[in-house]
Amino acid sequence: MTGQTFTFEINRTSSAPPATLFRLEADGAGWKEWARPVVFQSSWETQGEPAPGGIGAVRKVGLWPIMMREKTVEYEQDHRHVYTVIGPSTPARDYHGEAVFTANASGGTDICWRGWFTEGVPGTGPIMRAALKGAIQLISLRLIKAAEREASGV
């Protein structure tokens, strides 16, 4: 029996340029610098093409002993990063995330971060969607703060 599919979407705006936001989000080893309190540890397991975070890259993020392994499956420099969780197994099967950074008329960036997954255990989908959406909401705010700090030279 196949579980139900769940999705969520976070939309934000930043004064930082798309390239800065993209670089921070796609840099798996750097998450520990800006994504706390959601991510305390981050590193590359495998670098991709282009190095380090391109297609095939695997970043490890979290807090030991629970480190999520996320593999880059689509990569459009300075614009779009799509990844899938490859371990450990969770009640959210086949989780994919997509972060899109689009320049806007005010000189900043419109951010759209989506996630989708299949419910692995019947009845857990709504809880997993709320947890994942909450995590991405917090991570996206921390990303914006780091990018705007960097863009302003502070």
Side-chain angles (χ1 to χ4, degrees):
M1 180 172 137
T2 302
Q4 186 177 354
T5 298
F6 289 83
T7 63
F8 63 87
E9 181 173 304
I10 309 295
N11 291 287
R12 301 217 185 273
T13 302
S14 172
S15 61
T20 300
L21 289 148
F22 179 90
R23 182 178 44 74
L24 290 170
E25 188 279 329
D27 177 15
W31 279 50
K32 64 183 170 266
E33 305 301 325
W34 58 263
R36 292 175 185 247
V38 179
V39 174
F40 283 90
Q41 296 172 306
S42 61
S43 62
W44 290 116
E45 178 175 299
T46 305
Q47 292 194 6
E49 181 59 40
I55 293 176
V58 176
R59 64 183 175 197
K60 296 191 318 187
V61 295
L63 179 61
W64 189 89
I66 301 172
M67 298 292 287
M68 299 300 292
R69 295 173 55 241
E70 300 174 341
K71 183 175 184 174
T72 298
V73 294
E74 295 182 45
Y75 185 92
E76 296 173 35
Q77 183 71 48
D78 298 337
H79 177 63
R80 182 170 171 263
H81 180 234
V82 182
Y83 57 94
T84 186
V85 172
I86 60 172
S89 61
T90 70
R93 287 185 316 150
D94 302 321
Y95 176 82
H96 282 73
E98 174 186 46
V100 179
F101 306 97
T102 306
N104 61 32
S106 66
T109 304
D110 292 328
I111 303 162
C112 179
W113 202 324
R114 299 178 188 97
W116 62 96
F117 64 92
T118 301
E119 179 180 62
V121 177
T124 61
I127 295 165
M128 288 303 300
R129 177 175 47 203
L132 291 164
K133 183 176 182 179
I136 296 299
Q137 284 175 321
L138 183 55
I139 288 169
S140 64
L141 288 173
R142 301 294 300 154
L143 173 65
I144 289 167
K145 183 176 179 182
E148 289 177 353
R149 184 174 50 245
E150 183 178 306
S152 71
V154 175

